[in-house]
Amino acid sequence: MTGVLARVTDRLRTAFGEPDARAAVTFVGVDRIEVLRFPDQAAGLVRYATLGMSAAPMADPTAPVADPERGPRAELLLTLRAGRAATDAVLRPLAVVAASPQVEGVVVAPGGSLDLGEPLWPGAPFTAVLVGRPDGSVPELALPAPRDPVRFLPLLPMTPHEAAWQRAHGADALTERWAGHGADPRDPLRAQVPLGP
């Protein structure tokens, strides 16, 4: 585990306590990605956090050479209502999203979306995620210069139609649509919101 990932682990433990489960996923040619599970029984939530994405900065796909030190770093957080669905199967899809900067050369940032093309867990209506802005649940982690800090970005599950609507209208429009219809993005059983023009 690199020094960065050790510090990220400490930051996650400070925010959420000890994880009760962790899974490692490896892809050919990609550094190992772990997903940690943090239960919050008092709030009725379960949080999943990636570990490994921040080991290297995300490179601008248009840059001729990737800078090994400078560039945005992030880990991903998915928070869901506990006990309502078999959401632990989301571990591999989360690792796929976390590996996308290395595999596809994408920069994962707030307002972006990633479509996995398959349910996030068995029976889920969600096949994509919207990358949200940091919500303060895990404060960003400063790293020694010239490295950028590690940001902890929430993921919000989307149905295929919501993902298509978001691409056409933008992330803010979709989150406003969710709020306007009282949708809880943390509810693994939530229905798709009505999507008009």
Side-chain angles (χ1 to χ4, degrees), residues 5-31:
L5 297 187
R7 295 179 65 182
V8 168
T9 302
D10 288 343
R11 180 58 55 95
L12 290 168
R13 284 183 172 134
T14 298
F16 300 139
E18 286 296 318
D20 70 348
R22 62 195 304 157
V25 181
T26 56
F27 305 94
V28 175
V30 177
D31 294 332

Side-chain angles (χ1 to χ4, degrees), residues 41-181:
Q41 294 178 347
L45 300 172
V46 60
R47 294 183 174 91
Y48 303 94
T50 63
L51 178 63
M53 183 176 167
S54 61
M58 292 180 275
D60 180 345
T62 63
V65 178
D67 189 320
E69 295 292 331
R70 295 177 179 85
R73 295 176 189 250
E75 295 291 354
L76 307 174
L77 303 172
L78 177 65
T79 302
L80 297 169
R81 300 258 172 230
R84 305 201 68 199
T87 58
D88 283 351
V90 78
L91 300 178
R92 183 170 177 78
L94 272 183
V96 169
V97 175
S100 62
Q102 292 184 64
V103 174
E104 300 175 27
V106 300
V107 175
V108 178
S113 62
L114 296 115
D115 197 328
L116 292 153
E118 59 184 33
L120 296 183
W121 56 85
F126 313 110
T127 60
V129 290
L130 175 66
V131 184
R133 295 182 180 88
D135 59 11
S137 60
V138 184
E140 74 175 27
L141 174 64
L143 298 176
R147 296 175 174 179
D148 289 18
V150 178
R151 301 171 77 198
F152 296 87
L153 304 176
L155 297 181
L156 308 170
M158 296 187 291
T159 68
H161 292 300
E162 288 173 338
W165 199 87
Q166 180 268 332
R167 286 192 295 273
H169 298 277
D172 289 341
L174 179 60
T175 55
E176 288 171 10
R177 182 64 58 110
W178 282 340
H181 289 275

